């Protein structure tokens, strides 16, 4: 959408004075709307939740037929280009969402807020592909799964850096950010230790080498410093505070973009290997986990993520994901004996076929499986051992575009989820209130039917 200079001044106030120095000015307006709900049909039409079906307690879930999210986003973008080809670009993003856990500076009660304000400058003769940036970012170098609601990498914060610097053999990114949504005043019941409410104030130093040697190989290294957020995680001995939480750590990632789907079928795929230590044992800086990981915490991930085109009308997403966590804490960290022996293994598979019957009508389906195993000291007896979950979704869809990502689209879906009794008793089913009886119950629900509608569009 092109707007005139006056509209640019209205949408991007504060940047208007620079228009006189630019040979040309363009303003575009982007955004998205996503709105829908789901209902639990076990005992009447009860409102469901966002990603309620699943046993991955880190918060990840399969989105198709499993969310009741309403989200609006508006993103004005202004670009100024000088006579010599150097350009500047301002990007802003405002969001309102009923589930906004990852909108790191949004007020969770208000449901949204200002989540992005960045300025890029690039097009310099010495390295035309390089863009320098500064500001507040929600998605710089973000790296997500195809349909599993998690990020392999999501460094959100305020900072700066550069991206796409051409080294000849690869493109190079370097970013430095502080993640901090500490909106509350400083408070502490421990005079030797102070913190604010909200986020952990983590500092993230991240560097990428992308498309190394032109073979689709990317590597990333991140170093994270993050003070503990909570007095209860600090012991005071002889008047001195000893924090047993990790205050620094790193994540190393290797991503290989294969030719076709795993070298064979028409499509695309990525092979992802990640290892994290300390504060880097979780690869998302947007999460409250920073400051809530033990010094001994480790994370290892292996994933295959891709899509296959069988015919022009028949395609499929495919996903396999394994994660091992040592000194797994999640949000139940306590300084108890045996905590650091906590181990967790998580494995999931998914296929999501899509068949296009006509230009504007398709059938989306999904079959998924999750498996969790808890071992080592520190777990309750009810959580130790193996837990399993299955999910099936069928979603007739009308759309303007075609394929899995064809937008705008409206879908109606039916989802069936099945989990074992041990998962319910261990409290692993994500929305216990909506889908299971109390975790103290001897006979909790072990399945649920969902029905819902979802509309989604981007511009």
């Amino acid at each position: 959408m092109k707007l005139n200079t006056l509209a640019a001044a209205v949408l991007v106030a504060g940047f208007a004075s620079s228009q006189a120095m630019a040979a040309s000015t363009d303003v575009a307006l982007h955004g998205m709307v996503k709105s829908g709900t789901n209902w639990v049909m076990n005992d009447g039409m009860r409102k469901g939740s966002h990603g309620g079906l699943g046993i991955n307690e880190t918060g990840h879930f399969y989105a198709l037929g499993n969310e009741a999210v309403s989200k609006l986003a508006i993103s004005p973008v202004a670009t100024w280009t000088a006579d010599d080809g150097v350009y500047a670009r301002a990007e802003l993003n405002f969001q309102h969402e009923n589930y906004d856990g990852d909108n790191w500076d949004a007020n969770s009660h208000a449901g949204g807020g200002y989540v992005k304000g960045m300025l890029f400058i690039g097009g310099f003769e010495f390295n035309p592909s390089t863009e320098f940036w500064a500001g507040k970012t929600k998605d710089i170098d973000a790296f997500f799964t195809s349909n599993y609601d998690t990020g392999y990498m999501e460094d959100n914060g305020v900072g700066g850096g550069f991206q796409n610097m051409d080294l000849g053999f690869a493109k190079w990114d370097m970013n430095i950010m502080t993640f901090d949504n500490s909106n509350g005043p400083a408070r502490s019941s421990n005079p030797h230790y102070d913190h604010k409410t909200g986020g952990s104030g983590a500092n993230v130093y991240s560097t990428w080498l992308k498309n190394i040697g032109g073979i689709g190989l990317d590597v990333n290294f991140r170093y994270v410093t993050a003070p503990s957020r909570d007095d209860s995680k600090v012991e005071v001995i002889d008047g001195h505070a000893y924090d047993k939480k990790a205050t620094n750590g790193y994540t190393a990632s290797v991503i290989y973009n294969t030719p076709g789907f795993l070298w064979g079928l028409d499509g695309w795929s990525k092979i992802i290997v990640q290892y994290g230590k300390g504060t880097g044992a979780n690869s998302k800086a947007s999460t409250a986990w920073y400051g809530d990981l033990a010094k001994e915490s480790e994370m290892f991930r292996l994933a295959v993520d891709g899509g296959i085109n069988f015919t022009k009308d028949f395609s499929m997403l495919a996903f396999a994901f394994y994660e091992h966590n040592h000194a797994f804490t999640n949000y139940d960290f306590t300084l108890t004996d045996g905590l650091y022996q906590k181990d967790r293994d998580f494995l999931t598979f998914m296929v999501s076929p899509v068949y296009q019957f006509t230009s504007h009508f398709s059938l989306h389906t999904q079959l998924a499986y999750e498996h969790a195993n808890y071992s080592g000291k520190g777990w309750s007896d009810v959580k130790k051992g193996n837990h399993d979950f299955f999910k099936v979704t069928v979603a007739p869809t009308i759309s303007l575009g075609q394929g899995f990502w064809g937008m705008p689209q409206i879908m109606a879906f039916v989802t069936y989820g099945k989990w074992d009794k041990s998962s319910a008793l261990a409290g692993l089913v994500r929305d216990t209130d909506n889908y299971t009886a109390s975790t103290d119950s001897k006979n909790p629900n072990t399945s649920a039917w969902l029905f819902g509608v979802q509309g989604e569009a981007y511009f």
Side-chain angles (χ1 to χ4, degrees):
M1 178 186 293
K2 297 293 184 180
L3 303 178
N4 59 29
T5 302
L6 177 60
V10 173
L11 287 171
V12 196
F15 294 110
S17 62
S18 66
Q19 294 172 6
M21 297 180 290
S24 63
T25 302
D26 292 313
V27 173
L29 187 64
H30 302 287
M32 65 91 69
V33 56
K34 184 175 183 179
S35 185
T37 190
N38 64 50
W39 297 277
V40 185
M41 297 191 294
N42 286 37
D43 54 1
M45 297 280 279
R46 291 183 289 114
K47 182 180 179 295
S49 69
H50 180 51
L53 290 180
I55 59 170
N56 190 340
E57 65 177 305
T58 63
H60 309 155
F61 63 92
Y62 287 104
L64 182 65
N66 196 26
E67 59 180 358
V69 60
S70 295
K71 181 175 182 178
L72 301 174
I74 195 75
S75 181
V77 178
T79 304
W80 303 268
T81 305
D83 291 330
D84 60 0
V86 175
Y87 63 87
R89 184 177 71 257
E91 298 182 3
L92 296 93
N93 189 273
F94 303 90
Q95 294 186 7
H96 182 89
E97 185 177 350
N98 59 342
Y99 298 97
D100 64 344
D102 284 345
N103 288 349
W104 58 273
D105 197 33
N107 183 318
S108 60
H109 299 290
Y114 156 59
V115 298
K116 180 180 181 181
M118 300 178 68
L119 180 64
F120 299 84
I121 298 182
F124 295 100
E125 185 177 357
F126 73 92
N127 203 302
S129 66
T130 303
E131 288 189 329
F132 298 92
W133 71 272
K136 168 181 173 177
T137 173
K138 176 176 168 55
D139 56 8
I140 192 73
D141 280 332
F143 180 33
F144 293 95
T145 60
S146 57
N147 189 242
Y148 202 50
D149 191 27
T150 184
Y152 301 110
M153 200 75 66
E154 189 179 1
D155 287 333
N156 300 338
V158 178
F162 59 83
Q163 56 186 7
N164 295 320
M165 182 173 288
D166 193 345
L167 301 180
F169 69 95
K171 294 293 181 66
W172 181 27
D173 295 3
M174 176 72 78
N175 305 306
I176 301 175
M177 285 165 282
T178 295
F179 167 67
D180 189 358
N181 68 340
S182 301
N183 299 316
R187 61 177 178 79
S188 178
S189 58
N190 183 340
H192 302 282
Y193 182 76
D194 196 16
H195 71 287
K196 294 183 177 181
T197 60
S200 60
N203 291 322
V204 180
Y205 311 86
S206 176
T207 184
W208 282 88
L209 287 177
K210 297 182 176 179
N211 198 21
I212 299 171
I215 63 171
L217 180 66
D218 304 337
V219 298
N220 172 267
F221 184 83
R222 304 162 64 256
Y223 180 75
V224 183
T225 61
S228 180
R229 298 184 308 137
D230 194 334
D231 301 339
S232 66
K233 314 307 186 279
V234 178
E235 289 185 335
V236 179
I237 302 175
D238 296 330
H240 298 283
Y242 294 90
D243 192 351
K244 292 188 177 181
K245 292 296 194 64
T247 57
N248 58 74
Y250 64 89
T251 308
S253 305
V254 178
I255 302 98
Y256 180 53
N257 301 276
T258 70
F261 181 80
L262 296 179
W263 302 272
L265 299 172
D266 178 37
W268 60 275
S269 62
K270 299 175 182 289
I271 300 173
I272 302 102
V273 180
Q274 291 184 298
Y275 174 78
K277 177 72 175 178
T279 53
N282 183 4
S283 62
K284 288 181 67 176
S286 64
T287 176
W289 273 31
Y290 280 91
D292 276 338
L293 289 163
K295 293 178 181 179
E296 292 84 352
S297 293
E298 292 181 278
M299 177 272 291
F300 172 76
R301 278 179 176 171
L302 174 63
V304 178
D305 197 349
I308 308 168
N309 300 314
F310 296 108
T311 70
K312 68 181 182 66
D313 296 321
F314 183 36
S315 59
M316 184 176 75
L317 293 179
F319 178 66
F321 178 93
Y322 168 75
E323 180 174 291
H324 173 76
N325 306 100
H326 175 65
F328 181 80
T329 63
N330 203 351
Y331 301 103
D332 61 352
F333 188 98
T334 53
L335 299 178
T336 57
D337 291 338
L339 170 71
Y340 300 131
Q341 285 74 49
K342 282 187 174 181
D343 286 283
R344 171 185 178 268
D345 290 280
F346 184 81
L347 178 68
T348 183
F349 300 97
M350 177 274 289
V351 291
S352 191
V354 179
Y355 189 81
Q356 197 79 37
F357 289 98
T358 70
S359 297
H360 303 293
F361 175 72
S362 59
L363 182 65
H364 294 223
T365 58
Q366 187 173 88
L367 177 64
Y369 167 70
E370 295 181 348
H371 173 81
N373 173 267
Y374 293 81
S375 61
K377 297 179 180 179
W379 296 114
S380 63
D381 290 339
V382 73
K383 184 171 282 190
K384 282 185 179 179
N386 297 303
H387 309 278
D388 297 286
F389 167 78
F390 298 88
K391 170 187 173 288
V392 179
T393 294
V394 178
T397 302
I398 54 175
S399 62
L400 196 65
Q402 298 187 16
F404 195 90
W405 308 113
M407 303 286 175
Q409 68 180 22
I410 295 176
M411 64 169 56
F413 59 82
V414 176
T415 295
Y416 175 72
K418 173 70 175 176
W419 53 92
D420 52 20
K421 182 178 178 180
S422 65
S423 299
L425 293 177
L428 296 181
V429 182
R430 283 180 44 78
D431 193 333
T432 300
D433 291 336
N434 276 345
Y435 304 118
T436 72
S438 166
T439 54
D440 296 328
S441 171
K442 294 182 179 180
N443 296 293
N445 292 336
T446 57
S447 65
W449 285 91
L450 306 182
F451 167 78
V453 292
Q454 185 79 58
E456 193 166 359
Y458 299 85
F459 60 89

